[in-house]
Amino acid sequence: MRKPRVVFPYTEAGLGHIMPMNAIADKMEALYGDRVEIVRSKFFTEGGNQKLKEFEDLLCSTVVRANKHVLFGFFMTFNMDFWGVRLSSWATMKHLKNGARKPGYDHMAELKPDLVVSTHWATNYYAEHIQPKPLTVMYCPDAEMNPLFCYFCDLALVSTPTGYAAARKKYKHRFNDKNLRCVPYLIREEAFAVPRDKKEVRRRLGLDEDKFTVILAEGGYGIGKMEEICEIVLERDLPITIVPVCGKNEELYEKFKTMKSKGKTSFVPIGFTDRMFEYEAASDLFCGKSGANIIAEVCFFGVPQIITKYATNIEQHIGEYYTEVVGSAIKIFDAEKIVDKIEEFSEHPDLLEPMRLAAEGQRANYGPEACAKLIFDLLCTRYPELKEEQEKAE
């Protein structure tokens, strides 16, 4: 018998969509790879369709523009809320890039999916509009589900209790306790293997074992207050290690490589890295904008956060979740005041203890296994023989 095809279509619109997809695809493959066919799709580029590539490029440039121009970011997300789920989804998919919608339908149909797992609203939209219609799962990596993530699907997933409650209240005719579930954060399994001992991780990375260590990150595109913060830290010559992560912002990384410490500051800029978990685990403090993926990751490692920027009201919801609900973060938007607080924390690290404990308290709410099981159970509603095989295996 043919194995059911579970398609994971990747979307390049910030690492917050890619990292959760890696986590759930890896876990599905580990648990059910002998019974289902796992298909990892670079959806917008693999087929060579220029319109689809341009659509993904626009998604990327929109993220960059929102980070550079905050009013644009808030205006964009305000419009989603104003027009609602159906109109926002239809208008975005029809007009963001003219001519991309039909190739999106066509390519999704070419993949012959039995079930599509999306961490971005665009691929879920395509999956919902092809025939035969596959089962659809959409994971929202944010603290609250914006209207594009509330489009129709067979199973919607979110990882914050507040986001779950808000969606049930606002879209009470859309969601119920079967088609919307609150699941642990989709962090990759490798995170659990990183040592908890900061000194050990710092040795691995070649960092000073005893210095107060701060990691800075502004999303995959490295756009925010990092440069200004680093300049002030270096000017004051604080006796700390500071690690700005530039991601895909090569121009900023090249500039950082020309900046030197006066002597006391250990300045360690890095570009795009596959060792992000280790840098996060090695740190005493995180500073950066409230992107869903990065804040969740540093919280997993018990690292307190200074949130330095909101690019959209989506990021505002994320920031408020960690400052007001979890209690692992504080919000400071002025670069001088951020460095003042870094200096204060480095001199009195005990002040971070309540935030550190709040972050540590979230660690149990991580891992992709529960999500993988929900997806498999959904697939079993269409292929009951899979359930029988699973029960025999257990």
Side-chain angles (χ1 to χ4, degrees), residues 288-323:
K289 78 185 187 80
S290 51
N293 194 66
I294 186 64
I295 300 293
E297 286 182 4
V298 295
C299 205
F300 174 83
F301 290 110
V303 179
Q305 309 105 42
I306 296 178
I307 293 171
T308 62
K309 179 182 177 181
Y310 300 149
T312 64
N313 66 2
I314 296 170
E315 292 185 358
Q316 181 176 348
H317 291 317
I318 296 166
E320 289 172 350
Y321 177 73
Y322 286 96
T323 56

Side-chain angles (χ1 to χ4, degrees), residues 63-105:
V63 172
V64 170
R65 186 179 177 189
N67 278 277
K68 288 183 175 180
H69 308 287
V70 173
L71 287 179
F72 168 77
F74 275 85
F75 179 73
M76 177 180 64
T77 46
F78 166 79
N79 271 291
M80 292 183 209
D81 288 325
F82 181 81
W83 293 109
V85 174
R86 288 175 181 262
L87 278 175
S88 293
S89 300
W90 173 81
T92 301
M93 297 305 291
K94 182 174 175 59
H95 296 296
L96 185 61
K97 180 60 186 178
N98 289 332
R101 190 166 56 160
K102 185 177 184 304
Y105 295 159

Side-chain angles (χ1 to χ4, degrees), residues 17-278:
H17 300 286
I18 294 174
M19 295 299 120
M21 186 72 95
N22 283 335
I24 188 57
D26 289 347
K27 179 54 70 172
M28 285 290 293
E29 195 160 41
L31 292 178
Y32 309 113
D34 59 335
R35 273 155 283 173
V36 303
E37 182 183 358
I38 303 297
V39 180
R40 300 174 194 245
S41 165
K42 293 183 178 179
F43 186 83
F44 292 94
T45 58
E46 64 193 1
N49 185 279
Q50 186 61 27
K51 292 293 184 182
L52 282 182
K53 181 181 182 305
E54 290 173 2
F55 182 87
E56 187 177 53
D57 289 343
L58 270 174
L59 294 177
C60 295
S61 63
T62 300
V63 172
V64 170
R65 186 179 177 189
N67 278 277
K68 288 183 175 180
H69 308 287
V70 173
L71 287 179
F72 168 77
F74 275 85
F75 179 73
M76 177 180 64
T77 46
F78 166 79
N79 271 291
M80 292 183 209
D81 288 325
F82 181 81
W83 293 109
V85 174
R86 288 175 181 262
L87 278 175
S88 293
S89 300
W90 173 81
T92 301
M93 297 305 291
K94 182 174 175 59
H95 296 296
L96 185 61
K97 180 60 186 178
N98 289 332
R101 190 166 56 160
K102 185 177 184 304
Y105 295 159
D106 292 343
H107 185 49
M108 186 63 75
E110 289 169 356
L111 293 171
K112 300 186 186 307
D114 295 293
L115 187 150
V116 177
V117 180
S118 297
T119 57
H120 190 276
W121 44 264
T123 52
N124 176 74
Y125 187 93
Y126 294 135
E128 279 288 314
H129 285 82
I130 65 170
Q131 294 296 328
K133 193 192 94 64
L135 294 166
T136 51
V137 177
M138 183 150 58
Y139 174 76
C140 177
D142 304 318
E144 292 195 14
M145 299 172 67
N146 73 62
L148 298 180
F149 274 98
C150 293
Y151 195 73
F152 304 100
C153 63
D154 295 296
L155 178 62
L157 306 168
V158 66
S159 289
T160 65
T162 53
Y164 174 85
R168 287 294 303 269
K169 181 179 180 179
K170 186 173 183 179
Y171 302 105
K172 56 187 176 182
H173 300 300
R174 160 76 178 91
F175 292 123
N176 55 52
D177 58 3
K178 292 183 180 180
N179 64 15
L180 175 65
R181 301 294 294 271
C182 191
V183 297
Y185 281 98
L186 297 186
I187 199 166
R188 302 194 317 277
E189 292 287 346
E190 298 96 295
F192 293 91
V194 177
R196 305 292 296 276
D197 186 325
K198 292 187 183 298
K199 288 191 175 184
E200 180 182 346
V201 185
R202 289 172 188 171
R203 281 196 300 272
R204 289 186 181 188
L205 296 169
L207 302 178
D208 189 306
E209 293 180 26
D210 299 312
K211 273 188 176 179
F212 186 86
T213 301
V214 182
I215 185 171
L216 283 73
E218 300 285 0
Y221 305 112
I223 300 170
K225 294 187 171 71
M226 279 196 300
E227 182 177 351
E228 188 177 0
I229 292 169
C230 288
E231 287 174 345
I232 298 170
V233 168
L234 291 172
E235 177 60 32
R236 295 189 189 181
D237 200 21
L238 300 184
I240 65 173
T241 297
I242 187 162
V243 183
V245 183
C246 301
K248 296 185 177 182
N249 191 337
E250 295 181 6
E251 182 179 350
L252 181 60
Y253 179 51
E254 291 301 320
K255 180 172 182 179
F256 276 157
K257 288 195 294 185
T258 68
M259 295 165 58
K260 304 299 180 185
S261 168
K262 292 181 177 180
K264 295 179 183 179
T265 305
S266 297
F267 185 53
V268 189
I270 59 175
F272 194 85
T273 178
D274 60 0
R275 304 185 71 179
M276 194 65 182
F277 286 154
E278 292 174 273

